[in-house]
Amino acid sequence: ESLNRGYKTVYYYEDTLYIDVIKRITMEKQLRRAIKLNEMVLYYQPKINLKTMKVDGCEALIRWHHPDGHIIYPNDFIPLAEDIGFIDDIGKWVVKESICQVKRWQEQGHSIRVSLNVSGKEFDDEFIEHIHQNIQNQGVDPSLLEVEITETAALKDLCHSRHLVQTLHDFGIRVSLDDFGTGYSSMTYIKQLKASKLKIDKSFIDDLDNMEQRVVIESMILLGKKLDYYINIEGVETRNQLIILKDLGVDEVQGWLFSKAILPEAFIDYVKDFDENGLSL
Ligand code: C2E
Ligand code: MG
Ligand code: MG
Ligand code: MG
């Protein structure tokens, strides 16, 4: 009997494995068509400047409006896109779309700063050239753009990343180090990158009542500021976090306390409402 059960277990295991393979192949096919079918959409999450308490731009976050009717979040398709060599197409689309959005907002009389995320696998000279071309074609002010690259990706090839960061800065585009603190990288290396902003990861503010976590986040902010970085903290969800972070001299925050990532029209409404009423809870 036990032998039999063991056999069945193996059978089921292969069965689910088979289903997983089919799912992945289907998703791969759908993903390759997604851009052409206009299924990719950029949502924009407001960034709040803590000195002025004004909305100071936003971060573009990609979502896939899947033909089945649900929304797929980047963590569920970016890794696949990287695996199948489709990330360059996605990256190019993100660059084009976000720069077009800056332009559309500009035409409506809004000057809104947009930061875009770039995957480690697409952060290369070709990507930079693509940004440059789109900025020129659209005639937007490069200082309205920012590029977010994860700390881990940037440090894979420090020397090359440093050159890419420099090139972006020469164009007038700021670079920020995303998910800062999660990569266990040495500050000596990070400093050499010469990025202008640190985006400290949400995980560092999850439990600010915990004294150890409090000391860690305080030290990170202090060190970042001493090294002349502009400090952003993402994932702010509570008023308590906001008060503490403001007190610690953080320059800018993002998080659900303010808003999730939203569509462009909703973003403009949000800015107007925030200007008039401040933080409404
Ligand atoms: P990220 O760049 O670190 O973005 C922050 C993530 O935290 C976003 O998830 C955002 O929606 C979420 N978030 C913001 N505020 C809060 C909060 O208060 N609480 C919680 N729990 N979460 C919050 P999202 O949009 O699912 O993106 C996940 C990751 O996918 C991003 O992390 C980024 O690395 C990547 N990604 C997003 N858009 C793109 C893109 O256009 N291209 C590439 N290559 N990667 C992207
Ligand atoms: Mg980001
Ligand atoms: Mg490439
Ligand atoms: Mg992040």
Side-chain angles (χ1 to χ4, degrees):
E1 216 237 275
S2 71
L3 228 170
N4 208 352
R5 200 163 39 191
Y7 177 75
K8 270 188 179 162
T9 311
V10 170
Y11 182 77
Y12 285 135
Y13 172 70
E14 285 184 340
D15 212 35
T16 52
L17 206 69
Y18 177 71
I19 291 169
D20 283 349
V21 170
I22 297 291
K23 270 193 190 155
R24 191 188 144 106
I25 292 172
T26 312
M27 192 164 165
E28 179 178 333
K29 269 196 202 150
Q30 292 170 329
L31 187 56
R32 288 188 190 279
R33 288 197 298 249
I35 291 178
K36 235 179 265 156
L37 295 177
N38 280 320
E39 290 165 2
M40 290 298 169
V41 182
L42 289 182
Y43 282 61
Y44 300 85
Q45 183 180 41
K47 296 187 179 191
I48 314 296
N49 180 319
L50 289 187
K51 303 282 146 64
T52 61
M53 280 313 274
K54 293 268 179 236
V55 178
D56 187 17
C58 57
E59 173 175 10
L61 294 159
I62 196 169
R63 276 97 182 82
W64 176 13
H65 286 203
H66 193 271
D68 284 356
H70 50 275
I71 293 180
I72 306 187
Y73 288 83
N75 289 336
D76 295 325
F77 67 87
I78 294 285
L80 175 63
E82 289 179 339
D83 274 3
I84 66 173
F86 192 59
I87 194 64
D88 278 358
D89 297 73
I90 291 183
K92 280 190 174 145
W93 178 82
V94 170
V95 165
K96 186 158 183 241
E97 179 55 26
S98 53
I99 293 174
C100 279
Q101 188 55 55
V102 171
K103 172 81 170 181
R104 286 192 285 265
W105 274 331
Q106 212 168 357
E107 285 168 350
Q108 297 164 19
H110 310 288
S111 166
I112 292 165
R113 213 186 293 277
V114 174
S115 70
L116 58 99
N117 290 280
V118 47
S119 151
K121 293 224 164 87
E122 36 153 346
F123 191 52
D124 55 18
D125 294 280
E126 198 189 320
F127 167 80
I128 299 218
E129 184 46 35
H130 193 65
I131 287 201
H132 192 51
Q133 268 174 18
N134 274 276
I135 284 182
Q136 284 191 323
N137 290 346
Q138 298 293 329
V140 305
D141 179 354
S143 71
L144 289 177
L145 273 192
E146 188 176 300
V147 169
E148 300 189 5
I149 172 94
T150 64
E151 169 196 354
T152 331
L155 290 178
K156 280 214 178 97
D157 182 350
L158 180 62
C159 188
H160 193 57
S161 298
R162 189 184 160 151
H163 151 79
L164 297 174
V165 169
Q166 182 63 52
T167 314
L168 284 167
H169 282 174
D170 290 346
F171 289 158
I173 300 169
R174 296 214 292 179
V175 179
S176 60
L177 286 179
D178 207 346
D179 302 346
F180 180 75
T182 59
Y184 309 100
S185 8
S186 139
M187 201 63 206
T188 321
Y189 287 129
I190 288 166
K191 193 54 201 156
Q192 289 177 39
L193 271 175
K194 299 218 160 48
S196 31
K197 187 190 276 192
L198 296 184
K199 291 193 76 175
I200 299 178
D201 193 69
K202 178 185 184 307
S203 56
F204 293 94
I205 58 159
D206 278 345
D207 183 14
L208 289 177
D209 292 333
N210 174 311
M211 271 328 281
E212 278 171 31
Q213 187 163 68
R214 188 71 164 264
V215 169
V216 170
I217 186 76
E218 280 186 25
S219 316
M220 283 171 91
I221 295 168
L222 203 71
L223 180 63
K225 287 177 88 72
K226 285 233 177 212
L227 292 172
D228 261 348
Y229 284 106
Y230 190 87
I231 311 285
N232 169 300
I233 301 201
E234 49 185 355
V236 176
E237 292 178 348
T238 69
R239 208 175 245 281
N240 185 43
Q241 289 173 321
L242 174 65
I243 292 166
I244 293 170
L245 296 175
K246 206 173 166 176
D247 209 46
L248 292 174
V250 169
D251 298 292
E252 178 188 272
V253 290
Q254 293 170 242
W256 294 351
L257 174 64
F258 297 95
S259 171
K260 293 193 174 183
I262 46 184
L263 289 169
E265 309 80 61
F267 183 83
I268 295 301
D269 291 341
Y270 183 86
V271 176
K272 282 184 190 147
D273 186 66
F274 195 85
D275 273 351
E276 281 169 31
N277 308 313
L279 179 60
S280 45
L281 290 171

